Amino acid sequence: MTKTNDFQVSQYCFATCNYRERKSKPTETMPLEGYTIDYAEPDNGLIMHDGKYFLKAVREGDVVTFATNEENERHSWVQALYRATGQSHKPTPITQINKLNSSQDKKIFQGWLSPIQSYVLEEYCSRYGVRGCLRHLYYLNDLLDRAEQEFMIDPQLLHYSYGFCTSHVSGNRPDNNVSTITMEKRDRFIEIKERLKQFLENQVTNFRFSFPFGRPEAALKATLSLLECVLSKDISIPISRDDIRNFIRKCLENAAYSNYTRVSDQAKVEAELCIELLQQDSEHYQEAFKQYNDLLIEHEEIFWSLFAVNMEHVIDQQPIENTLSNSRFHQQLRDTFAPLVIRYIDLIEHVLHNQFIKQGPVSRST
């Protein structure tokens, strides 16, 4: 007898069920509570069973993959289960741009200790006289080791440990108590601070790949907050707005070159791919860069300037004609870039309008 898989949906719960042929009761049931539904890459095991299009359910490292024979059928199941589970992540069909993002998938390791681990660590430090500053220095070092192995570390945890260390090193403890540190600890702190700065710079420069589709939620925003703290000379002397803006501007300039290089390496450069990439920037990262919105716009302009260079090369390769006016190539260029030009003009008008509102009308004396 053969087995068939089906999705059973009720008012109260969702489950995947395994049925035997002509039987109304399932032989196996897997509740979908807590799972996140998304599109999936091809699975070799299911391909052998004639699977063509794939979706997956993920929960705490547990991944279950399903297959359908028709793409529309897969899309219908994904959308139905997405609405039913109420998950925050919206499933996105895998495209060339999405593959670029998924190629940078990171191992999940948030870094927070469990209550039992925290208790054991506190007892150990208390018994053997390990000071809090030294403990957090070692912890930061281990977390950065993990991060360099492409584990995803919660930036708020890094912020907490770094804040603890910098308050002790600078002598500005929150409890106003006097603390002393050795020169060895101070040198170790300076070394870790520089290492953390380089790590955060890399995270911001590669924000599309460090935080694919803006996930984990609010992680990029927390990373920018930590970067601002690390760039400060002292916990009591925050970095100036101009300095932090210049630093982030440099990161976003490098990001434009990096993003365009990866797109051009992975696929033939097309306007549609560039548009899709920038649309994802707007959808998933604009909130995190809210206070640096003008720098994000500069990042997009640099990206388009790189595309223009390639486009000029394409034009140079075209056969020489007396005129391009109304030719097929000219028509294609116009159809491709007219929406972009209109969008750019609208964007500039919006920026100028906002600046005018902030500055107010200028009175002219006669």
Side-chain angles (χ1 to χ4, degrees), residues 174-325:
D175 54 10
N176 294 323
N177 290 334
V178 178
S179 61
T180 59
I181 62 169
T182 63
M183 292 298 296
E184 180 183 358
K185 292 179 183 176
R186 182 177 179 275
D187 293 341
R188 181 181 292 272
F189 170 76
I190 294 174
E191 177 184 341
I192 290 178
K193 179 179 180 179
E194 180 61 28
R195 187 180 172 193
L196 181 58
K197 173 187 171 183
Q198 294 176 0
F199 167 72
L200 295 174
E201 181 179 2
N202 181 70
Q203 290 282 94
V204 176
T205 300
N206 298 283
F207 66 90
R208 285 186 53 82
F209 308 96
S210 299
F211 310 97
F213 304 108
R215 293 175 290 172
E217 186 176 356
L220 176 55
K221 190 173 183 179
T223 298
L224 292 171
S225 176
L226 174 57
L227 176 62
E228 186 173 343
C229 182
V230 172
L231 291 176
S232 300
K233 294 182 179 180
D234 188 272
I235 191 173
S236 60
I237 307 176
I239 187 173
S240 68
R241 298 309 302 168
D242 288 341
D243 288 342
I244 184 64
R245 283 175 56 83
N246 289 335
F247 190 91
I248 293 179
R249 175 182 281 111
K250 176 185 175 183
C251 291
L252 291 180
E253 288 176 356
N254 292 333
Y257 293 107
S258 175
N259 292 344
Y260 190 81
T261 299
R262 297 193 190 202
V263 170
S264 60
D265 287 344
Q266 292 288 334
K268 183 179 179 180
V269 178
E270 298 177 357
E272 289 80 1
L273 286 177
C274 297
I275 294 172
E276 183 180 351
L277 186 144
L278 294 182
Q279 285 176 340
Q280 290 184 6
D281 283 357
S282 176
E283 180 179 354
H284 301 295
Y285 305 104
Q286 194 169 38
E287 177 62 26
F289 286 106
K290 187 175 182 179
Q291 58 179 328
Y292 308 107
N293 188 55
D294 57 329
L295 302 183
L296 191 61
I297 293 174
E298 289 182 13
H299 160 78
E300 294 180 354
E301 291 178 346
I302 293 174
F303 184 88
W304 277 122
S305 69
L306 296 173
F307 178 80
V309 172
N310 275 1
M311 197 63 208
E312 289 176 0
H313 175 71
V314 172
I315 294 175
D316 290 340
Q317 301 302 315
Q318 300 303 311
I320 299 176
E321 301 179 8
N322 293 331
T323 176
L324 285 176
S325 178

Side-chain angles (χ1 to χ4, degrees), residues 15-35:
T16 58
C17 303
N18 191 16
Y19 290 90
R20 293 188 182 275
E21 189 176 4
R22 297 181 181 178
K23 296 293 183 179
S24 60
K25 293 184 179 181
T27 57
E28 298 178 55
T29 302
M30 186 190 78
L32 287 175
E33 182 179 0
Y35 279 90

Side-chain angles (χ1 to χ4, degrees), residues 8 12-16 29-37 57-60 62 81 84-87:
Q8 182 168 316
Y12 303 102
C13 66
F14 292 81
T16 58
T29 302
M30 186 190 78
L32 287 175
E33 182 179 0
Y35 279 90
T36 298
I37 306 300
V58 182
R59 183 181 67 180
E60 297 178 354
D62 181 25
L81 293 173
T85 57
Q87 64 195 51

Side-chain angles (χ1 to χ4, degrees), residues 41-274:
E41 295 279 2
D43 183 279
N44 292 332
L46 294 177
I47 289 176
M48 295 176 62
H49 292 83
D50 298 328
K52 295 181 179 179
Y53 302 95
F54 304 87
L55 60 145
K56 62 184 177 181
V58 182
R59 183 181 67 180
E60 297 178 354
D62 181 25
V63 181
V64 181
T65 305
F66 305 93
T68 64
N69 292 326
E70 300 292 337
E71 185 173 8
N72 290 337
E73 183 183 1
R74 174 181 69 164
H75 181 71
S76 298
W77 277 118
V78 169
Q79 293 304 314
L81 293 173
Y82 161 66
R83 291 191 297 269
T85 57
Q87 64 195 51
S88 58
H89 166 61
K90 183 178 180 180
T92 305
I94 297 175
T95 63
Q96 288 175 301
I97 293 296
N98 295 341
K99 288 179 180 178
L100 291 178
N101 291 337
S102 62
S103 65
Q104 297 293 322
D105 283 347
K106 293 178 176 289
K107 306 169 187 175
I108 302 300
F109 176 78
Q110 294 296 319
W112 292 98
L113 299 178
S114 68
I116 295 178
Q117 290 173 326
S118 181
Y119 174 78
V120 172
L121 185 59
E122 291 288 351
E123 285 293 313
Y124 179 89
C125 293
S126 177
R127 176 173 297 184
Y128 295 100
V130 180
R131 291 192 173 187
C133 183
L134 181 61
R135 164 186 161 184
H136 281 280
L137 284 175
Y138 278 114
Y139 196 29
L140 278 173
N141 186 72
D142 289 344
L143 290 175
L144 288 173
D145 286 341
R146 290 278 185 167
E148 290 171 356
Q149 297 172 18
E150 296 190 348
F151 284 86
M152 175 63 74
I153 306 299
D154 190 341
Q156 293 182 346
L157 177 59
L158 291 170
H159 202 155
Y160 173 77
S161 290
Y162 177 80
F164 187 95
C165 293
T166 191
S167 65
H168 280 67
V169 172
S170 63
N172 293 308
R173 291 177 50 168
D175 54 10
N176 294 323
N177 290 334
V178 178
S179 61
T180 59
I181 62 169
T182 63
M183 292 298 296
E184 180 183 358
K185 292 179 183 176
R186 182 177 179 275
D187 293 341
R188 181 181 292 272
F189 170 76
I190 294 174
E191 177 184 341
I192 290 178
K193 179 179 180 179
E194 180 61 28
R195 187 180 172 193
L196 181 58
K197 173 187 171 183
Q198 294 176 0
F199 167 72
L200 295 174
E201 181 179 2
N202 181 70
Q203 290 282 94
V204 176
T205 300
N206 298 283
F207 66 90
R208 285 186 53 82
F209 308 96
S210 299
F211 310 97
F213 304 108
R215 293 175 290 172
E217 186 176 356
L220 176 55
K221 190 173 183 179
T223 298
L224 292 171
S225 176
L226 174 57
L227 176 62
E228 186 173 343
C229 182
V230 172
L231 291 176
S232 300
K233 294 182 179 180
D234 188 272
I235 191 173
S236 60
I237 307 176
I239 187 173
S240 68
R241 298 309 302 168
D242 288 341
D243 288 342
I244 184 64
R245 283 175 56 83
N246 289 335
F247 190 91
I248 293 179
R249 175 182 281 111
K250 176 185 175 183
C251 291
L252 291 180
E253 288 176 356
N254 292 333
Y257 293 107
S258 175
N259 292 344
Y260 190 81
T261 299
R262 297 193 190 202
V263 170
S264 60
D265 287 344
Q266 292 288 334
K268 183 179 179 180
V269 178
E270 298 177 357
E272 289 80 1
L273 286 177
C274 297

